[in-house]
Amino acid sequence: MLMRRRKARAEARVRQAAFQAYVGADRRAPLSELAGQLLRKAFPDHWSFLLGEIALYSFAVLVLTGTFLTLFFDPSLAEAPYTGSYAPLRGLLVSKAYETALHLSFDVRGGLLMRQMHHWAALVFVAAIGVHMLRIFFTGAFRRPREVNWLIGVTLFLLSLLEGFCGYSLPDDLLSGTGLRTANTILQSIPVVGTYLAFFVWDGPFPGTAIIRRLYIVHVLFVPGLLIALIAVHLFMVVYLKHTQWSEPGKTNRNVVGQPMFPSFVGKSTGLSLTVFGVLAAMGAVAQINPIWDFGPYVPDQVSTDAQPDWYVGFLEGALRLMPGVEWNVAGHTFMWNVLLPAVVLPALLFLVLYAYPFFERWVTGDLVEHHLCDRPRDRPVRTGLGVGAVVWYAVLLLAGGNDVIAATFHTSVNGLTWTFRVLFFVGPVLAFLVTRRVCLALQMHERQMMEEGEETGEVYQDLPGGMSESHEPLDRERRYKLLVRDLPRPLERPGPGAPARARLRASLSRWYYGERVDAPATTEEQLQITGRTADPVAGGVGSGSQE
């Protein structure tokens, strides 16, 4: 009984101290007001919104496992005979970086698990960002007022690629060394300044003695700091701008319908975080990845067979393999087009398009309205076709990066595969775009038919003369709402003959984007309701274009 009283008094003192500390802080900052608004903030509920959270929790696993690995890893390229536990390599001259990576794998308790969890988390992190960006793109969630958040997301994706490459290169095994050799060649392919850049980064001719140490600093300090800062800004913008939501009864462009942050969203998000941690731990425990002891230490005059980079830079490998060998010598300078175009110009254009697309689409539509309702991909056939074409283009390059493995597995010609992928590089995205656009329009036409005739019940009737007919039932209110409430811009008017070329180009692109469409059979009253539900939440005006 005495112990219970003492425990109760101690708990009361702790509660009183915490309350006094909170009151003191609240008098100096609006904690109560901010906490009340934040904890009651609504978050729409849909599985596709979890992709960004998977990336966040994968990053958390990366930070935790990476912190553990830094305690044992030495990024030195100083060489010494290997004397560790892995018998096949004993006595072999290896760098300190490779030796400590082996020490982590075989001699540190839990070291191999941490290494493999870290590597799997890196792959999941980049994949989750990529799929999350695709969700943002296909649903139009990059439009005003979220253009800045889209730019932050693209930058996060770019930094994640750099972070992954730096970490992949640290063990100084034969596979990562091959990747560094490729990176050195890519830098040297830049006209005029390439050789100076490569000499500066490697602190001398390849392979040098400083590159692993420099990559280590970038991997554990510079890029993680930028990632943490940008993720914080990204999350703040999501909370500040409010989350997008799918069109359903009660959900409009001027409200947010969902579950409060606490306890609903916090509870679900905590469960997802534990699931991500558990899955990555299971993958690290049972799925081997990057067995550096099989590759051996890096030796500049050797290259391992079947050398494939991680998937997120596999498209660069594929582009390098598809590009014919073309070099020019101009005024004493070598232009290595076979490296410059696929490994420098191509990725630069890719990220330039990603950064510029929200502003390009806004210029084409002339749309200055805020959008908080997600587009269904089928309602934007051109945008969806462009996205699918980009995915096919990336898939072709990724497959081309393994043309030797594919040829060996299926006993076919490497040259034949290379020419096949070269053709698909140009033809595949175009075919994917055309097919996707037609499928989207066909889905719209099917939905229009359902709204006009109703949905099939599966019951077939035969009348007295012997004719056959099927019965239909009207769509329910929620389904009809989803099909009707959409904001489709109208194509811009064709300018007159004396209009500037820029205006004519803009009108042509607008017709290409939105000229071919299937309008839903909405009544006049429904059109008014649609206009109200898609109205600009700031100005209170109508949207960029109402469905007729």
Side-chain angles (χ1 to χ4, degrees):
M1 180 66 87
L2 181 61
M3 294 298 295
R4 290 181 180 178
R5 290 178 179 174
R6 289 180 178 177
K7 183 178 180 181
R9 286 197 297 268
E11 291 178 351
R13 286 195 294 269
V14 171
R15 286 196 297 268
Q16 183 65 21
F19 176 75
Q20 291 177 353
Y22 178 80
V23 170
D26 191 49
R27 288 174 177 174
R28 295 163 177 82
L31 296 183
S32 297
E33 181 180 354
L34 293 177
Q37 293 178 357
L38 182 62
L39 294 179
R40 301 306 299 171
K41 189 171 184 63
F43 281 83
D45 189 14
H46 193 268
W47 68 266
S48 63
F49 300 155
L50 301 179
L51 297 170
E53 294 183 51
I54 293 175
L56 175 64
Y57 298 134
S58 300
F59 181 73
V61 175
L62 280 171
V63 172
L64 293 175
T65 55
T67 302
F68 177 88
L69 297 177
T70 56
L71 301 177
F72 302 94
F73 182 73
D74 184 355
S76 172
L77 286 177
E79 294 183 332
Y82 177 70
T83 58
S85 300
Y86 190 64
L89 292 178
R90 284 179 189 163
L92 194 65
L93 198 64
V94 300
S95 67
K96 198 66 177 176
Y98 186 70
E99 190 274 331
T100 52
L102 290 176
H103 177 70
L104 262 167
S105 302
F106 294 108
D107 301 313
V108 176
R109 187 178 297 273
L112 182 59
L113 175 64
M114 291 295 106
R115 270 196 65 232
Q116 299 200 147
M117 281 185 64
H118 191 74
H119 203 127
W120 280 119
L123 298 181
V124 173
F125 175 60
V126 180
I129 291 180
V131 179
H132 178 61
M133 288 181 61
L134 287 176
R135 199 278 298 178
I136 297 295
F137 178 82
F138 285 123
T139 61
F142 56 82
R143 295 173 296 173
R144 189 175 184 179
R146 297 176 180 83
E147 301 98 330
V148 173
N149 230 13
W150 169 264
L151 300 181
I152 293 174
V154 175
T155 305
L156 284 171
F157 185 61
L158 178 60
L159 289 175
S160 68
L161 299 183
L162 174 61
E163 179 76 343
F165 175 77
C166 291
Y168 168 85
S169 304
L170 290 181
D172 195 36
D173 60 285
L174 191 55
L175 187 61
S176 65
T178 303
L180 284 176
R181 183 207 302 272
T182 304
N184 182 269
T185 305
I186 292 172
L187 270 184
Q188 291 188 58
S189 71
I190 301 176
V192 182
V193 298
T195 53
Y196 300 100
L197 285 175
F199 194 89
F200 170 76
V201 172
W202 268 262
D203 195 24
F206 182 84
T209 59
I211 185 62
I212 300 297
R213 184 174 66 252
R214 292 181 175 184
L215 290 178
Y216 182 73
I217 297 298
V218 172
H219 183 71
V220 304
L221 182 61
F222 292 157
V223 177
L226 289 173
L227 286 173
I228 292 172
L230 289 176
I231 288 173
V233 175
H234 187 74
L235 294 177
F236 172 79
M237 296 289 286
V238 169
V239 174
Y240 176 73
L241 296 173
K242 73 185 181 181
H243 208 291
T244 55
Q245 59 187 352
W246 292 97
S247 176
E248 291 179 0
K251 298 180 180 180
T252 70
N253 202 38
R254 311 177 75 176
N255 67 0
V256 178
V257 179
Q259 298 174 336
M261 174 178 283
F262 185 84
S264 301
F265 178 77
V266 171
K268 290 184 177 181
S269 189
T270 302
L272 178 63
S273 68
L274 296 176
T275 301
V276 172
F277 274 64
V279 170
L280 290 176
M283 294 174 67
V286 303
Q288 178 177 274
I289 189 170
N290 198 26
I292 59 173
W293 51 90
D294 283 345
F295 306 141
Y298 178 62
V299 181
D301 62 347
Q302 296 180 11
V303 177
S304 59
T305 58
D306 295 347
Q308 307 294 322
D310 282 335
W311 70 267
Y312 47 84
V313 290
F315 77 101
L316 286 179
E317 177 75 14
L320 285 168
R321 296 189 183 194
L322 294 185
M323 181 68 188
V326 179
E327 292 185 2
W328 290 356
N329 290 312
V330 180
H333 297 283
T334 300
F335 289 81
M336 297 189 296
W337 298 111
N338 55 325
V339 179
L340 179 65
L341 289 180
V344 178
V345 176
L346 187 68
L349 289 176
L350 169 63
F351 280 94
L352 178 62
V353 170
L354 289 176
Y355 277 115
Y357 185 83
F359 309 98
F360 169 75
E361 185 171 303
R362 187 176 66 183
W363 175 71
V364 169
T365 60
D367 183 11
L368 299 178
V369 176
E370 287 193 3
H371 295 277
H372 302 290
L373 289 177
C374 294
D375 288 332
R376 295 189 311 158
R378 67 185 61 180
D379 292 333
R380 303 279 182 147
V382 172
R383 181 206 293 162
T384 304
L386 291 174
V388 173
V391 172
V392 170
W393 173 81
Y394 178 86
V396 169
L397 290 180
L398 188 62
L399 290 173
N403 61 353
D404 55 338
V405 178
I406 297 174
T409 302
F410 295 98
H411 306 288
T412 186
S413 168
V414 174
N415 289 333
L417 279 176
T418 300
W419 276 103
T420 300
F421 287 131
R422 284 174 178 172
V423 174
L424 288 176
F425 176 83
F426 296 100
V427 177
V430 176
L431 289 178
F433 169 80
L434 295 175
V435 171
T436 301
R437 186 175 64 171
R438 298 315 305 174
V439 169
C440 290
L441 292 171
L443 290 173
Q444 291 185 45
M445 183 64 70
H446 174 67
E447 290 174 348
R448 177 184 176 91
Q449 184 179 2
M450 284 197 305
M451 284 187 283
E452 291 176 339
E453 302 176 0
E455 194 168 15
E456 297 178 358
T457 63
E459 297 178 352
V460 180
Y461 296 92
Q462 184 176 17
D463 54 25
L464 290 177
M468 307 294 291
S469 62
E470 56 184 359
S471 62
H472 297 77
E473 59 182 13
L475 297 180
D476 59 78
R477 176 175 174 269
E478 181 175 353
R479 184 82 178 278
R480 188 173 178 83
Y481 187 96
K482 290 180 180 180
L483 300 184
L484 283 176
V485 178
R486 54 182 186 171
D487 188 14
L488 300 183
R490 287 289 178 185
L492 298 178
E493 295 292 336
R494 189 187 300 271
R502 183 173 181 271
R504 295 197 301 271
L505 174 62
R506 183 184 181 188
S508 299
L509 288 172
S510 180
R511 290 194 304 274
W512 181 61
Y513 257 76
Y514 304 110
E516 196 170 5
R517 54 195 289 152
V518 178
D519 292 329
T523 64
T524 303
E525 181 181 353
E526 287 175 334
Q527 291 177 14
L528 293 175
Q529 293 178 358
I530 294 168
T531 302
R533 285 163 174 75
T534 58
D536 188 351
V538 176
V542 298
S544 59
S546 56
Q547 174 64 47
E548 296 180 1

